[in-house]
Tab-separated table of all heavy atoms in Angstrom:
chain	number	residue	atom	x	y	z
A	162	ARG	N	-33.317	1.363	87.313
A	162	ARG	CA	-32.926	1.321	88.687
A	162	ARG	C	-31.385	1.101	88.791
A	162	ARG	O	-30.701	0.848	87.796
A	162	ARG	CB	-33.742	0.261	89.504
A	162	ARG	CG	-33.302	-1.167	89.200
A	162	ARG	CD	-34.063	-2.131	90.047
A	162	ARG	NE	-33.482	-3.472	89.957
A	162	ARG	CZ	-33.661	-4.367	88.981
A	162	ARG	NH1	-34.438	-4.095	87.937
A	162	ARG	NH2	-33.071	-5.534	88.999
A	163	TYR	N	-30.920	1.121	90.096
A	163	TYR	CA	-29.520	0.862	90.229
A	163	TYR	C	-29.464	-0.211	91.329
A	163	TYR	O	-30.158	-0.275	92.282
A	163	TYR	CB	-28.751	2.066	90.782
A	163	TYR	CG	-28.611	3.186	89.719
A	163	TYR	CD1	-29.620	4.153	89.516
A	163	TYR	CD2	-27.531	3.199	88.773
A	163	TYR	CE1	-29.535	5.140	88.583
A	163	TYR	CE2	-27.471	4.121	87.835
A	163	TYR	CZ	-28.483	5.073	87.722
A	163	TYR	OH	-28.375	6.130	86.768
A	164	GLU	N	-28.355	-1.107	91.154
A	164	GLU	CA	-28.136	-2.128	92.250
A	164	GLU	C	-26.798	-1.802	92.908
A	164	GLU	O	-25.828	-1.566	92.265
A	164	GLU	CB	-28.063	-3.534	91.606
A	164	GLU	CG	-29.353	-3.985	90.992
A	164	GLU	CD	-29.204	-5.306	90.266
A	164	GLU	OE1	-28.070	-5.741	89.960
A	164	GLU	OE2	-30.255	-5.974	89.989
A	165	ASP	N	-26.883	-1.749	94.248
A	165	ASP	CA	-25.677	-1.456	95.050
A	165	ASP	C	-24.877	-2.788	95.301
A	165	ASP	O	-25.166	-3.609	96.077
A	165	ASP	CB	-26.057	-0.815	96.300
A	165	ASP	CG	-24.856	-0.281	97.154
A	165	ASP	OD1	-23.659	-0.532	96.767
A	165	ASP	OD2	-25.076	0.327	98.171
A	166	ARG	N	-23.809	-2.845	94.547
A	166	ARG	CA	-22.906	-4.057	94.660
A	166	ARG	C	-21.554	-3.739	95.278
A	166	ARG	O	-20.552	-4.451	95.044
A	166	ARG	CB	-22.691	-4.702	93.226
A	166	ARG	CG	-23.986	-5.074	92.612
A	166	ARG	CD	-23.680	-5.783	91.354
A	166	ARG	NE	-24.956	-5.967	90.552
A	166	ARG	CZ	-24.968	-6.565	89.353
A	166	ARG	NH1	-23.805	-6.965	88.742
A	166	ARG	NH2	-26.085	-6.748	88.729
A	167	ARG	N	-21.527	-2.603	96.007
A	167	ARG	CA	-20.244	-2.149	96.594
A	167	ARG	C	-19.658	-3.029	97.658
A	167	ARG	O	-18.501	-3.099	97.788
A	167	ARG	CB	-20.385	-0.648	97.054
A	167	ARG	CG	-20.568	0.346	95.981
A	167	ARG	CD	-20.771	1.703	96.585
A	167	ARG	NE	-22.014	1.700	97.283
A	167	ARG	CZ	-22.627	2.716	97.841
A	167	ARG	NH1	-21.923	3.854	97.928
A	167	ARG	NH2	-23.731	2.624	98.493
A	168	VAL	N	-20.580	-3.648	98.379
A	168	VAL	CA	-20.089	-4.485	99.556
A	168	VAL	C	-19.985	-5.919	99.028
A	168	VAL	O	-21.002	-6.484	98.709
A	168	VAL	CB	-21.038	-4.372	100.778
A	168	VAL	CG1	-20.608	-5.311	101.863
A	168	VAL	CG2	-21.155	-3.005	101.234
A	169	VAL	N	-18.758	-6.431	99.082
A	169	VAL	CA	-18.555	-7.823	98.727
A	169	VAL	C	-18.620	-8.681	99.899
A	169	VAL	O	-17.870	-8.529	100.890
A	169	VAL	CB	-17.160	-8.025	97.994
A	169	VAL	CG1	-16.902	-9.440	97.614
A	169	VAL	CG2	-17.154	-7.107	96.752
A	170	THR	N	-19.514	-9.712	99.872
A	170	THR	CA	-19.679	-10.585	101.063
A	170	THR	C	-18.981	-11.909	100.829
A	170	THR	O	-19.197	-12.534	99.798
A	170	THR	CB	-21.189	-10.877	101.227
A	170	THR	OG1	-21.866	-9.595	101.332
A	170	THR	CG2	-21.559	-11.726	102.400
A	171	PRO	N	-18.167	-12.416	101.796
A	171	PRO	CA	-17.623	-13.711	101.680
A	171	PRO	C	-18.739	-14.740	101.631
A	171	PRO	O	-19.719	-14.572	102.322
A	171	PRO	CB	-16.808	-13.853	102.936
A	171	PRO	CG	-16.478	-12.516	103.468
A	171	PRO	CD	-17.730	-11.686	103.035
A	172	ILE	N	-18.549	-15.769	100.898
A	172	ILE	CA	-19.607	-16.866	100.726
A	172	ILE	C	-20.087	-17.339	102.042
A	172	ILE	O	-21.352	-17.519	102.237
A	172	ILE	CB	-19.148	-17.846	99.685
A	172	ILE	CG1	-19.042	-17.297	98.301
A	172	ILE	CG2	-20.050	-19.077	99.752
A	172	ILE	CD1	-18.437	-18.228	97.304
A	173	ARG	N	-19.227	-17.589	102.907
A	173	ARG	CA	-19.537	-18.169	104.220
A	173	ARG	C	-20.514	-17.228	104.975
A	173	ARG	O	-21.364	-17.686	105.745
A	173	ARG	CB	-18.381	-18.452	105.036
A	173	ARG	CG	-18.719	-18.935	106.482
A	173	ARG	CD	-17.533	-19.506	107.228
A	173	ARG	NE	-17.387	-20.839	106.651
A	173	ARG	CZ	-16.297	-21.570	106.781
A	173	ARG	NH1	-15.253	-21.167	107.453
A	173	ARG	NH2	-16.242	-22.817	106.321
A	174	GLU	N	-20.444	-15.906	104.789
A	174	GLU	CA	-21.303	-15.004	105.540
A	174	GLU	C	-22.607	-14.705	104.829
A	174	GLU	O	-23.415	-14.002	105.393
A	174	GLU	CB	-20.441	-13.705	105.741
A	174	GLU	CG	-19.311	-13.855	106.687
A	174	GLU	CD	-18.494	-12.600	106.853
A	174	GLU	OE1	-19.041	-11.493	106.483
A	174	GLU	OE2	-17.380	-12.723	107.294
A	175	ALA	N	-22.805	-15.181	103.615
A	175	ALA	CA	-24.064	-14.965	102.884
A	175	ALA	C	-25.177	-15.711	103.654
A	175	ALA	O	-24.973	-16.808	104.106
A	175	ALA	CB	-23.965	-15.515	101.477
A	176	CYS	N	-26.331	-15.062	103.752
A	176	CYS	CA	-27.423	-15.734	104.332
A	176	CYS	C	-28.731	-15.301	103.594
A	176	CYS	O	-28.725	-14.403	102.879
A	176	CYS	CB	-27.573	-15.348	105.825
A	176	CYS	SG	-27.649	-13.642	106.151
A	177	GLU	N	-29.741	-16.105	103.733
A	177	GLU	CA	-30.987	-15.867	103.145
A	177	GLU	C	-31.532	-14.491	103.384
A	177	GLU	O	-31.477	-14.061	104.498
A	177	GLU	CB	-32.013	-16.965	103.496
A	177	GLU	CG	-33.262	-16.906	102.646
A	177	GLU	CD	-34.252	-18.042	102.919
A	177	GLU	OE1	-34.288	-18.528	104.070
A	177	GLU	OE2	-34.972	-18.394	101.993
A	178	GLY	N	-31.961	-13.834	102.287
A	178	GLY	CA	-32.489	-12.519	102.533
A	178	GLY	C	-32.162	-11.631	101.432
A	178	GLY	O	-32.392	-11.952	100.202
A	179	PRO	N	-31.718	-10.402	101.764
A	179	PRO	CA	-31.520	-9.390	100.657
A	179	PRO	C	-30.378	-9.701	99.717
A	179	PRO	O	-29.543	-10.560	100.050
A	179	PRO	CB	-31.194	-8.126	101.469
A	179	PRO	CG	-30.692	-8.569	102.721
A	179	PRO	CD	-31.409	-9.894	103.021
A	180	PRO	N	-30.264	-9.126	98.584
A	180	PRO	CA	-29.240	-9.492	97.580
A	180	PRO	C	-27.850	-9.201	98.231
A	180	PRO	O	-27.643	-8.167	99.014
A	180	PRO	CB	-29.467	-8.563	96.440
A	180	PRO	CG	-30.950	-8.162	96.490
A	180	PRO	CD	-31.233	-8.137	98.047
A	181	VAL	N	-26.880	-10.036	97.865
A	181	VAL	CA	-25.496	-9.875	98.225
A	181	VAL	C	-24.578	-10.043	97.009
A	181	VAL	O	-25.008	-10.569	95.973
A	181	VAL	CB	-25.029	-10.836	99.340
A	181	VAL	CG1	-25.766	-10.610	100.527
A	181	VAL	CG2	-25.180	-12.267	98.812
A	182	THR	N	-23.372	-9.545	97.060
A	182	THR	CA	-22.372	-9.644	96.043
A	182	THR	C	-21.300	-10.590	96.543
A	182	THR	O	-20.740	-10.331	97.610
A	182	THR	CB	-21.740	-8.270	95.662
A	182	THR	OG1	-22.796	-7.375	95.289
A	182	THR	CG2	-20.734	-8.401	94.615
A	183	CYS	N	-21.005	-11.694	95.806
A	183	CYS	CA	-19.921	-12.585	96.133
A	183	CYS	C	-19.044	-12.635	94.934
A	183	CYS	O	-19.469	-12.668	93.821
A	183	CYS	CB	-20.507	-13.937	96.473
A	183	CYS	SG	-21.614	-13.978	97.935
A	184	ILE	N	-17.743	-12.886	95.263
A	184	ILE	CA	-16.728	-13.049	94.178
A	184	ILE	C	-16.031	-14.384	94.502
A	184	ILE	O	-15.621	-14.667	95.559
A	184	ILE	CB	-15.676	-11.880	94.144
A	184	ILE	CG1	-16.399	-10.604	93.962
A	184	ILE	CG2	-14.654	-12.171	93.110
A	184	ILE	CD1	-15.450	-9.377	93.977
A	185	GLY	N	-15.945	-15.196	93.455
A	185	GLY	CA	-15.188	-16.448	93.564
A	185	GLY	C	-14.829	-17.013	92.242
A	185	GLY	O	-14.971	-16.394	91.217
A	186	LYS	N	-14.397	-18.289	92.305
A	186	LYS	CA	-13.988	-19.044	91.094
A	186	LYS	C	-14.967	-20.127	90.812
A	186	LYS	O	-15.481	-20.819	91.795
A	186	LYS	CB	-12.614	-19.650	91.201
A	186	LYS	CG	-11.516	-18.568	91.083
A	186	LYS	CD	-10.194	-19.168	90.955
A	186	LYS	CE	-9.146	-18.146	90.715
A	186	LYS	NZ	-7.749	-18.593	90.404
A	187	VAL	N	-15.256	-20.379	89.613
A	187	VAL	CA	-16.135	-21.514	89.243
A	187	VAL	C	-15.405	-22.832	89.455
A	187	VAL	O	-14.257	-22.954	88.984
A	187	VAL	CB	-16.559	-21.387	87.686
A	187	VAL	CG1	-17.312	-22.631	87.296
A	187	VAL	CG2	-17.271	-20.128	87.420
A	188	THR	N	-15.915	-23.719	90.217
A	188	THR	CA	-15.344	-24.980	90.540
A	188	THR	C	-16.042	-26.113	89.779
A	188	THR	O	-15.459	-27.194	89.592
A	188	THR	CB	-15.310	-25.235	92.066
A	188	THR	OG1	-16.596	-25.281	92.535
A	188	THR	CG2	-14.414	-24.255	92.777
A	189	LEU	N	-17.300	-25.921	89.365
A	189	LEU	CA	-18.015	-26.977	88.661
A	189	LEU	C	-19.116	-26.297	87.983
A	189	LEU	O	-19.796	-25.345	88.431
A	189	LEU	CB	-18.612	-27.931	89.683
A	189	LEU	CG	-19.488	-29.023	89.078
A	189	LEU	CD1	-18.741	-30.076	88.403
A	189	LEU	CD2	-20.394	-29.657	90.191
A	190	ALA	N	-19.370	-26.722	86.640
A	190	ALA	CA	-20.539	-26.232	85.905
A	190	ALA	C	-21.139	-27.476	85.356
A	190	ALA	O	-20.506	-28.271	84.618
A	190	ALA	CB	-20.149	-25.356	84.814
A	191	SER	N	-22.392	-27.826	85.751
A	191	SER	CA	-23.136	-28.980	85.409
A	191	SER	C	-24.441	-28.651	84.665
A	191	SER	O	-25.328	-28.058	85.263
A	191	SER	CB	-23.366	-29.843	86.579
A	191	SER	OG	-24.227	-30.904	86.304
A	192	PHE	N	-24.578	-29.047	83.411
A	192	PHE	CA	-25.783	-28.864	82.638
A	192	PHE	C	-26.544	-30.122	82.504
A	192	PHE	O	-25.960	-31.153	82.228
A	192	PHE	CB	-25.419	-28.231	81.259
A	192	PHE	CG	-26.659	-28.057	80.445
A	192	PHE	CD1	-27.454	-26.985	80.546
A	192	PHE	CD2	-26.945	-28.976	79.405
A	192	PHE	CE1	-28.559	-26.782	79.695
A	192	PHE	CE2	-28.057	-28.782	78.538
A	192	PHE	CZ	-28.817	-27.729	78.721
A	193	ARG	N	-27.913	-30.056	82.640
A	193	ARG	CA	-28.671	-31.232	82.383
A	193	ARG	C	-30.067	-30.839	81.864
A	193	ARG	O	-30.599	-29.815	82.175
A	193	ARG	CB	-28.770	-32.103	83.647
A	193	ARG	CG	-29.593	-31.579	84.763
A	193	ARG	CD	-29.584	-32.501	85.945
A	193	ARG	NE	-30.483	-31.922	86.940
A	193	ARG	CZ	-31.444	-32.626	87.492
A	193	ARG	NH1	-31.615	-33.839	87.225
A	193	ARG	NH2	-32.224	-32.045	88.377
A	194	ARG	N	-30.595	-31.695	81.031
A	194	ARG	CA	-31.927	-31.562	80.552
A	194	ARG	C	-32.891	-32.176	81.535
A	194	ARG	O	-32.594	-33.221	82.116
A	194	ARG	CB	-32.172	-32.243	79.198
A	194	ARG	CG	-31.301	-31.596	78.156
A	194	ARG	CD	-32.156	-31.211	76.895
A	194	ARG	NE	-31.336	-30.519	75.916
A	194	ARG	CZ	-31.425	-29.167	75.756
A	194	ARG	NH1	-32.208	-28.442	76.525
A	194	ARG	NH2	-30.643	-28.565	74.891
A	195	MET	N	-34.061	-31.560	81.717
A	195	MET	CA	-35.047	-32.078	82.568
A	195	MET	C	-36.308	-32.461	81.795
A	195	MET	O	-36.191	-32.658	80.581
A	195	MET	CB	-35.356	-31.011	83.632
A	195	MET	CG	-34.141	-30.570	84.457
A	195	MET	SD	-34.326	-29.109	85.410
A	195	MET	CE	-35.542	-29.621	86.621
A	196	ARG	N	-37.362	-32.654	82.437
A	196	ARG	CA	-38.675	-33.011	81.707
A	196	ARG	C	-38.996	-31.974	80.580
A	196	ARG	O	-38.749	-30.816	80.816
A	196	ARG	CB	-39.790	-33.135	82.738
A	196	ARG	CG	-39.657	-34.243	83.643
A	196	ARG	CD	-40.936	-34.326	84.475
A	196	ARG	NE	-40.504	-34.596	85.815
A	196	ARG	CZ	-41.063	-34.129	86.895
A	196	ARG	NH1	-42.123	-33.405	86.842
A	196	ARG	NH2	-40.667	-34.517	88.046
A	197	GLY	N	-39.486	-32.533	79.556
A	197	GLY	CA	-39.947	-31.676	78.483
A	197	GLY	C	-38.819	-30.846	77.879
A	197	GLY	O	-37.737	-31.316	77.593
A	198	ARG	N	-39.010	-29.537	77.906
A	198	ARG	CA	-38.071	-28.600	77.342
A	198	ARG	C	-37.263	-27.949	78.365
A	198	ARG	O	-36.502	-27.041	78.154
A	198	ARG	CB	-38.791	-27.571	76.503
A	198	ARG	CG	-39.405	-28.133	75.250
A	198	ARG	CD	-40.040	-27.083	74.478
A	198	ARG	NE	-40.395	-27.573	73.120
A	198	ARG	CZ	-40.905	-26.832	72.227
A	198	ARG	NH1	-41.131	-25.564	72.392
A	198	ARG	NH2	-41.204	-27.365	71.049
A	199	MET	N	-37.431	-28.311	79.630
A	199	MET	CA	-36.759	-27.676	80.756
A	199	MET	C	-35.293	-28.101	80.736
A	199	MET	O	-34.899	-29.214	80.453
A	199	MET	CB	-37.327	-28.046	82.053
A	199	MET	CG	-38.678	-27.542	82.290
A	199	MET	SD	-38.750	-25.822	82.743
A	199	MET	CE	-38.055	-25.868	84.360
A	200	SER	N	-34.386	-27.159	81.148
A	200	SER	CA	-32.973	-27.491	81.355
A	200	SER	C	-32.461	-26.729	82.582
A	200	SER	O	-33.100	-25.715	82.983
A	200	SER	CB	-32.128	-27.063	80.129
A	200	SER	OG	-32.151	-25.779	79.905
A	201	MET	N	-31.419	-27.160	83.155
A	201	MET	CA	-30.916	-26.602	84.369
A	201	MET	C	-29.342	-26.608	84.287
A	201	MET	O	-28.710	-27.617	83.980
A	201	MET	CB	-31.300	-27.335	85.601
A	201	MET	CG	-30.757	-26.733	86.907
A	201	MET	SD	-31.362	-27.602	88.368
A	201	MET	CE	-30.240	-28.970	88.384
A	202	LEU	N	-28.787	-25.428	84.590
A	202	LEU	CA	-27.319	-25.301	84.699
A	202	LEU	C	-27.020	-24.997	86.212
A	202	LEU	O	-27.590	-24.033	86.813
A	202	LEU	CB	-26.772	-24.131	83.840
A	202	LEU	CG	-25.303	-23.779	83.948
A	202	LEU	CD1	-24.439	-25.005	83.546
A	202	LEU	CD2	-25.041	-22.582	83.210
A	203	LYS	N	-26.197	-25.852	86.768
A	203	LYS	CA	-25.820	-25.668	88.232
A	203	LYS	C	-24.298	-25.362	88.235
A	203	LYS	O	-23.553	-26.140	87.695
A	203	LYS	CB	-26.131	-26.978	89.022
A	203	LYS	CG	-25.875	-26.750	90.539
A	203	LYS	CD	-26.270	-27.935	91.291
A	203	LYS	CE	-26.132	-27.755	92.816
A	203	LYS	NZ	-26.550	-28.942	93.586
A	204	VAL	N	-23.976	-24.287	88.841
A	204	VAL	CA	-22.604	-23.822	88.911
A	204	VAL	C	-22.194	-23.631	90.348
A	204	VAL	O	-23.002	-23.026	91.164
A	204	VAL	CB	-22.482	-22.445	88.221
A	204	VAL	CG1	-21.030	-21.894	88.302
A	204	VAL	CG2	-22.902	-22.449	86.756
A	205	LEU	N	-21.089	-24.228	90.739
A	205	LEU	CA	-20.522	-24.037	92.073
A	205	LEU	C	-19.500	-22.905	92.035
A	205	LEU	O	-18.480	-22.985	91.206
A	205	LEU	CB	-19.918	-25.313	92.597
A	205	LEU	CG	-20.912	-26.452	92.830
A	205	LEU	CD1	-20.168	-27.684	93.379
A	205	LEU	CD2	-22.004	-26.088	93.678
A	206	VAL	N	-19.582	-21.904	92.856
A	206	VAL	CA	-18.650	-20.872	92.916
A	206	VAL	C	-17.976	-20.911	94.354
A	206	VAL	O	-18.727	-20.940	95.367
A	206	VAL	CB	-19.375	-19.455	92.734
A	206	VAL	CG1	-18.425	-18.326	92.933
A	206	VAL	CG2	-19.950	-19.462	91.300
């Protein structure tokens, strides 16, 4: 399949629903281990 990423959406205008393309800079990357073998990486863009 193909994904249409031609329209870049400002982060403030993003809303729940269909896929959007946003461009930004990483301001924080936080990794943590959770229960068992689970892990989570949270990144702020």
Side-chain angles (χ1 to χ4, degrees):
R162 70 179 196 280
Y163 292 89
E164 293 175 345
D165 187 354
R166 301 182 187 179
R167 291 177 294 181
V168 177
V169 177
T170 304
I172 291 173
R173 174 168 282 164
E174 293 177 19
C176 56
E177 187 173 29
V181 296
T182 302
C183 296
I184 300 175
K186 285 192 176 187
V187 175
T188 59
L189 175 75
S191 169
F192 175 80
R193 70 182 184 127
R194 293 234 176 257
M195 300 167 67
R196 290 185 220 146
R198 294 183 167 181
M199 294 282 292
S200 64
M201 181 178 78
L202 174 64
K203 185 174 183 179
V204 178
L205 296 182
V206 176

